[in-house]
C-alpha cells in the first residue's frame, strides 16, 4: 500500500477524532453537535475512499464502497449549511430542515442505479460513473456550498467583534479547502485526477484545529485531552488484538479497562475545570459590567451633588447677607429677642454655607476638577490669621487657643494659600467643636525639609481604630458627643486631598478617647508642583 491510498484513511481518522472530541467537549452545544455531524459525513467520505481504492479490482465491492462514500457525502451540504446558520446566528431553521429532507431524498436515489452505476478505473484509482441523480446532487451541492460560504463571509464582513471575525475567517478557509476537496467528484465524469482532494480534507481539519487552539472556536483543552486519551485507548485496543496468547490478552484486556476508566475520569475532571473556568469568566464579565454601572452611578452622584450644592449656595448667601444686615441695624432698631433669633439664622446659614462648600470641594476632587493656584506665601501668617479668627469662638466656649512659634525662620512656601487656610480652619474648628474644656495649642515647625503645622487639643480624642477612617468621606465618629454641630464628615477628607495635591499629608495622633488629639499638616518646603 502506498501513501496515496493511505491519505484518505489518515484524513478519515483525523476528521473522526476531531469530530468526536468536539462533540464530547460540549455535547449540549448545537454548534459542537453540528460540527460533529459534518465531520461524520466527511469521515464516511474519506473512509469509503480508502476502501474503494483497495477494491478497484472487484467491481461489485468497489461500487458498494463508493455508495458508502455517498452515504456520507450526501449529508455534507445539509450539515455544512446547518453549521454556518448556527455560527452566523442566522435563524433559518426552516431551510436547515429542508436541507436535511433533500439529503434524505438523495439518499433514496442512492439505492437506485440512477445515482451512480458502472465503474471507471483510472491511473490512481477508480470511481463509480455519475448518473442523473448524481448530476442533480452536484448542482444542489454547489448551490448550498455557495450559500454557506456567502453567509460566513457576510458575517465576517459585518462582525465588529475582532475575535469573531478571525473565527469566521478560519471557518471560511476550512470550508474553502473542503470545496477544493469536492473536486474528488471529477472521476465520476471520467475525468482523471490525482487524488489530491484528500489533502484538502487534512488541510481543512488542520485549519479548524488551529482555529480551535488559537481562538477557542471550541474548547481546546478538552479537545486536546480527549484526543490524547482516544489515542491511548486505540493503542491499548490494538495491543489486545495483537496479543499472542490468552494470558497476554487477559492482561492487555484488564489494562484496557483500566485505561478506559482512567481516561473517562481525566476527561471529566478537565470538563469540570473548564466549566468552572467558564463560570468564573461569566462572573468576571458580570462584575466588570456592574463595576462600569457603579462608576456611572458614582459620576451621576458627583454631578448631582455639584449641581445641588451650586443651587443651594446662592439662596444661602442671600439669607446670610440679609441676616448680617439686620444684625448690623441696616433695617432699623430691633428688639433683643428678634436679634437673638436672627443671630441663630445667621449662624446656621454660615454653617450650612461651609457644609455646602465642603460638598462642592469633595465633588470637585472626585471629578478631578479641583483647581489650585500655587504662589509663594508665608505659612506662619496664614496660620496666625486663622487662629486670630477663632479666638472669639474659643473664648465663648471657655477654651484657651494659643499659637506657638519656633525661633527658626520658615521660608515662603509655594502653595495655594486659600486651600491651605481651609485645612487649618478645619483643624481649629474641629478642635473647638470636639474639646469641651482645656486648651488648643497651634504650632508651626520646620523639621528638616518640611514644615509641620500641629493643632493639639485636650478634647474627645480618637481611638486608634478610627484614626484612618476619619479621613474618609462622610465619616463622623463622635456623633453623639457633637449633637448640634453641623458637619458632614467631609472636612478632613477634603483636607487630606488638598495636602496631597501640595505633595504633603495630614494625619492625626491621639492616645485614644478622652485623651485629646493632635492634627498635623506636613508640607514640603520645596514643592515640586
Ligand atoms: P465633621 O467635623 O464635619 O464631622 P471632619 O471630616 O472635619 O467632619 O471630621 C471627621 C470626624 O473626625 C468628626 O466627625 C469627628 O468625629 C472626628 N474629629 C475631627 N477632629 C477631631 C478632634 N479635634 N477631636 C476629636 N475628634 C475629631
Amino acid at each position: 500500500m502506498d501513501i496515496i491510498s493511505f491519505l484518505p484513511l489518515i484524513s478519515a481518522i483525523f476528521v473522526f477524532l476531531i469530530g468526536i472530541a468536539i462533540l464530547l467537549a460540549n455535547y449540549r452545544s448545537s454548534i459542537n453537535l453540528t460540527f460533529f455531524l459534518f465531520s461524520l459525513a466527511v469521515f464516511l467520505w474519506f473512509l469509503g475512499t480508502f476502501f474503494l481504492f483497495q477494491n478497484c479490482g472487484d467491481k461489485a465491492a468497489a461500487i458498494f464502497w463508493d455508495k458508502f462514500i455517498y452515504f456520507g457525502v450526501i449529508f455534507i451540504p445539509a450539515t455544512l449549511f446547518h453549521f454556518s446558520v448556527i455560527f452566523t446566528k442566522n435563524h433559518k431553521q426552516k431551510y436547515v430542515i429542508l436541507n436535511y429532507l433533500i439529503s434524505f431524498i438523495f439518499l433514496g436515489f442512492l439505492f437506485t442505479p440512477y445515482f451512480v452505476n458502472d465503474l471507471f478505473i483510472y491511473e490512481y484509482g477508480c470511481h463509480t460513473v455519475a448518473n442523473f441523480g448524481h448530476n442533480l446532487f452536484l448542482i444542489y451541492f454547489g448551490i448550498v456550498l455557495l450559500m454557506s460560504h456567502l453567509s460566513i463571509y457576510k458575517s465576517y464582513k459585518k462582525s465588529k467583534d475582532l475575535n469573531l471575525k478571525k473565527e469566521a475567517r478560519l471557518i471560511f478557509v476550512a470550508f474553502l479547502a473542503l470545496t477544493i476537496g469536492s473536486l474528488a467528484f471529477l472521476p465520476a465524469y471520467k475525468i482523471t485526477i490525482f487524488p489530491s482532494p484528500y489533502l484538502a480534507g487534512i488541510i481543512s481539519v488542520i485549519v479548524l484545529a488551529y482555529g480551535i487552539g488559537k481562538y477557542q472556536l471550541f474548547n481546546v483543552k478538552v479537545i486536546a485531552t480527549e484526543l490524547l486519551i482516544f489515542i491511548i485507548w486505540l493503542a491499548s485496543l490494538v495491543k489486545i488484538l495483537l496479543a499472542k496468547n490468552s494470558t497476554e490478552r487477559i492482561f492487555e484486556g484488564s489494562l484496557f479497562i483500566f485505561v478506559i476508566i482512567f481516561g473517562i475520569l481525566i476527561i471529566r475532571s478537565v470538563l469540570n475545570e473548564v466549566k468552572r473556568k467558564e463560570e468564573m469568566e461569566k462572573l468576571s464579565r458580570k462584575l466588570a459590567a456592574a463595576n462600569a454601572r457603579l462608576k456611572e452611578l458614582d459620576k451621576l452622584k458627583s454631578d448631582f451633588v455639584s449641581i445641588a450644592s451650586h443651587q443651594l449656595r446662592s439662596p444661602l448667601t442671600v439669607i446670610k447677607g440679609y441676616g448680617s444686615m439686620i444684625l448690623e441695624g441696616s433695617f432699623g432698631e430691633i428688639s433683643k429677642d428678634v436679634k437673638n433669633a436672627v443671630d441663630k439664622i445667621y449662624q446656621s446659614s454660615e454653617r450650612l454655607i461651609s457644609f455646602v462648600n465642603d460638598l462642592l470641594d469633595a465633588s470637585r476632587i472626585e471629578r478631578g476638577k479641583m483647581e489650585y493656584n500655587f504662589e509663594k506665601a508665608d505659612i506662619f501668617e496664614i496660620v496666625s490669621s486663622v487662629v486670630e479668627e477663632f479666638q472669639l469662638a474659643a473664648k465663648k466656649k471657655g477654651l484657651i487657643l494659643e499659637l506657638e512659634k519656633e525661633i527658626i525662620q520658615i521660608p515662603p512656601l509655594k502653595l495655594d494659600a486659600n486651600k491651605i487656610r481651609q485645612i487649618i480652619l478645619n483643624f481649629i474648628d474641629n478642635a473647638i467643636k470636639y474639646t469641651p474644656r482645656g486648651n488648643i495649642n497651634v504650632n508651626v515647625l520646620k523639621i528638616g525639609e518640611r514644615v509641620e503645622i500641629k493643632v493639639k487639643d485636650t478634647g474627645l480624642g480618637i481611638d486608634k481604630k478610627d484614626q484612618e477612617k476619619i479621613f474618609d468621606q462622610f465619616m463622623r465618629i463622635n456623633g453623639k458627643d457633637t449633637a448640634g454641630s453641623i458637619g458632614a464628615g467631609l472636612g478632613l477628607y477634603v483636607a487630606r486631598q488638598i495636602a496631597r495635591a501640595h505633595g504633603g499629608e495630614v494625619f492625626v495622633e491621639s492616645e485614644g478617647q478622652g485623651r485629646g488629639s493632635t492634627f498635623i499638616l506636613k508640607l514640603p518646603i520645596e514643592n515640586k508642583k
Side-chain angles (χ1 to χ4, degrees):
M1 261 185 280
D2 53 17
I3 181 74
I4 292 173
S5 39
F6 260 106
L7 214 53
L9 184 65
I10 296 166
S11 299
I13 294 172
F14 246 63
V15 172
F16 184 69
L17 288 182
I18 293 263
I20 289 274
I22 282 171
L23 177 72
L24 292 181
N26 187 0
Y27 57 86
R28 285 199 199 93
S29 144
S30 51
I31 196 150
N32 290 37
L33 184 70
T34 323
F35 182 86
F36 170 70
L37 290 178
F38 169 65
S39 60
L40 202 64
V42 178
F43 163 70
L44 293 180
W45 169 25
F46 290 159
L47 187 73
T49 304
F50 170 71
F51 286 113
L52 171 70
F53 282 10
Q54 309 300 315
N55 289 288
C56 282
D58 178 346
K59 192 173 169 185
I63 291 180
F64 168 80
W65 282 114
D66 212 0
K67 288 199 170 185
F68 179 91
I69 292 173
Y70 281 106
F71 202 89
V73 171
I74 279 173
F75 287 96
I76 288 181
T79 50
L80 197 75
F81 182 78
H82 194 175
F83 184 84
S84 68
V85 163
I86 294 175
F87 181 78
T88 55
K89 297 196 175 68
N90 215 329
H91 300 288
K92 288 184 188 154
Q93 283 306 329
K94 273 188 309 206
Y95 296 111
V96 171
I97 296 169
L98 182 71
N99 270 306
Y100 280 112
L101 275 177
I102 293 175
S103 304
F104 278 104
I105 294 172
F106 281 119
L107 199 65
F109 252 119
L110 184 63
F111 291 104
T112 69
Y114 303 113
F115 198 82
V116 287
N117 60 6
D118 214 354
L119 192 70
F120 166 62
I121 299 178
Y122 58 101
E123 205 179 326
Y124 308 103
C126 53
H127 203 289
T128 48
V129 180
N131 211 339
F132 168 68
H134 192 281
N135 300 347
L136 270 185
F137 175 69
L138 211 56
I139 295 168
Y140 162 70
F141 197 156
I143 294 171
V144 174
L145 218 60
L146 203 72
M147 277 169 61
S148 307
H149 278 130
L150 269 179
S151 79
I152 296 268
Y153 181 71
K154 260 197 226 153
S155 97
Y156 164 76
K157 277 255 145 187
K158 256 201 324 219
S159 173
K160 289 196 178 61
D161 181 337
L162 216 65
N163 264 353
L164 215 70
K165 242 179 152 59
K166 287 176 183 163
E167 283 176 18
R169 194 158 54 200
L170 274 176
I171 294 181
F172 190 72
V173 171
F175 278 12
L176 215 62
L178 274 173
T179 313
I180 296 166
S182 64
L183 290 180
F185 278 127
L186 290 177
Y189 296 91
K190 300 196 170 162
I191 299 168
T192 300
I193 174 174
F194 182 77
S196 50
Y198 307 111
L199 259 181
I202 293 199
I203 291 171
S204 70
V205 172
I206 289 174
V207 169
L208 274 183
Y210 169 77
I212 290 165
K214 188 129 197 226
Y215 304 112
Q216 305 258 317
L217 276 183
F218 309 96
N219 202 307
V220 64
K221 205 166 170 187
V222 180
I223 289 157
T225 317
E226 283 171 353
L227 277 182
L228 199 73
I229 285 168
F230 287 154
I231 292 169
I232 296 173
W233 284 351
L234 217 68
S236 59
L237 190 70
V238 169
K239 280 184 96 180
I240 300 179
L241 298 177
L242 294 179
K244 290 190 194 75
N245 51 47
S246 51
T247 333
E248 208 174 293
R249 201 161 295 136
I250 289 170
F251 175 73
E252 294 295 349
S254 354
L255 206 67
F256 180 63
I257 293 171
F258 174 75
V259 166
I260 292 261
I261 295 171
F262 199 62
I264 289 174
L265 287 179
I266 290 180
I267 292 178
R268 272 181 49 181
S269 83
V270 172
L271 275 176
N272 272 341
E273 193 200 311
V274 166
K275 208 167 121 196
R276 227 167 293 137
K277 212 172 117 195
E278 276 169 6
E279 275 164 12
M280 291 278 284
E281 270 166 18
K282 230 188 260 167
L283 217 69
S284 83
R285 267 200 298 276
K286 267 191 197 160
L287 268 177
N291 197 24
R293 176 85 187 117
L294 273 180
K295 274 194 185 145
E296 208 175 287
L297 285 176
D298 203 46
K299 191 183 168 296
L300 273 178
K301 182 211 74 185
S302 291
D303 290 350
F304 168 74
V305 168
S306 162
I307 293 168
S309 313
H310 271 296
Q311 297 300 324
L312 277 171
R313 207 156 58 160
S314 342
L316 277 171
T317 318
V318 173
I319 293 171
K320 189 184 156 191
Y322 276 102
S324 139
M325 281 160 77
I326 294 169
L327 289 174
E328 282 163 9
S330 308
F331 297 101
E333 274 300 307
I334 47 169
S335 70
K336 210 174 163 203
D337 284 350
V338 174
K339 199 171 181 176
N340 265 344
V342 174
D343 192 40
K344 282 196 179 114
I345 293 174
Y346 177 79
Q347 304 278 346
S348 298
S349 65
E350 201 167 41
R351 269 190 247 129
L352 263 176
I353 287 173
S354 97
F355 168 58
V356 166
N357 281 340
D358 277 352
L359 273 181
L360 269 174
D361 279 343
S363 91
R364 272 193 207 114
I365 288 166
E366 268 187 22
R367 291 179 303 145
K369 295 242 167 84
M370 191 74 147
E371 279 173 14
Y372 293 90
N373 190 10
F374 291 101
E375 270 170 17
K376 291 250 174 200
D378 184 343
I379 183 73
F380 188 78
E381 221 174 271
I382 297 173
V383 177
S384 67
S385 80
V386 180
V387 170
E388 239 0 86
E389 221 174 278
F390 276 102
Q391 281 301 351
L392 195 70
K395 211 169 174 183
K396 264 194 190 164
K397 228 184 149 183
L399 302 168
I400 299 166
L401 173 60
E402 272 177 343
L403 171 65
E404 294 165 20
K405 195 199 170 190
E406 224 196 9
I407 326 286
I408 302 164
Q409 200 61 37
I410 295 165
L413 304 184
K414 206 170 162 216
L415 40 80
D416 184 324
N418 279 332
K419 301 262 176 357
I420 294 297
R421 202 181 136 76
Q422 200 176 327
I423 300 179
I424 317 292
L425 215 107
N426 178 255
F427 280 3
I428 300 179
D429 186 38
N430 278 348
I432 295 174
K433 259 197 315 200
Y434 304 116
T435 306
R437 71 192 71 84
N439 20 321
I440 298 157
N441 290 322
V442 184
N443 266 330
V444 183
L445 308 166
K446 181 173 175 279
I447 300 171
E449 280 309 291
R450 60 174 199 272
V451 171
E452 284 192 15
I453 298 108
K454 292 189 178 186
V455 178
K456 185 171 190 282
D457 65 48
T458 54
L460 301 176
I462 299 156
D463 277 341
K464 284 260 173 303
K465 65 172 173 39
D466 295 323
Q467 288 181 5
E468 263 308 297
K469 278 194 220 155
I470 55 171
F471 294 97
D472 289 341
Q473 292 190 60
F474 305 108
M475 209 60 202
R476 307 192 75 205
I477 48 160
N478 295 322
K480 60 178 187 301
D481 303 303
T482 57
S485 76
I486 285 193
L490 282 173
L492 288 177
Y493 166 75
V494 172
R496 176 165 270 183
Q497 305 307 318
I498 293 175
R500 286 182 177 169
H502 282 78
E505 187 55 288
V506 296
F507 55 96
V508 65
E509 285 169 357
S510 172
E511 295 293 317
Q513 278 216 347
R515 306 179 63 178
S517 29
T518 307
F519 279 84
I520 301 160
L521 162 65
K522 275 190 192 171
L523 288 174
I525 290 183
E526 256 325 300
N527 187 1
K528 308 259 170 353
K529 311 227 167 191

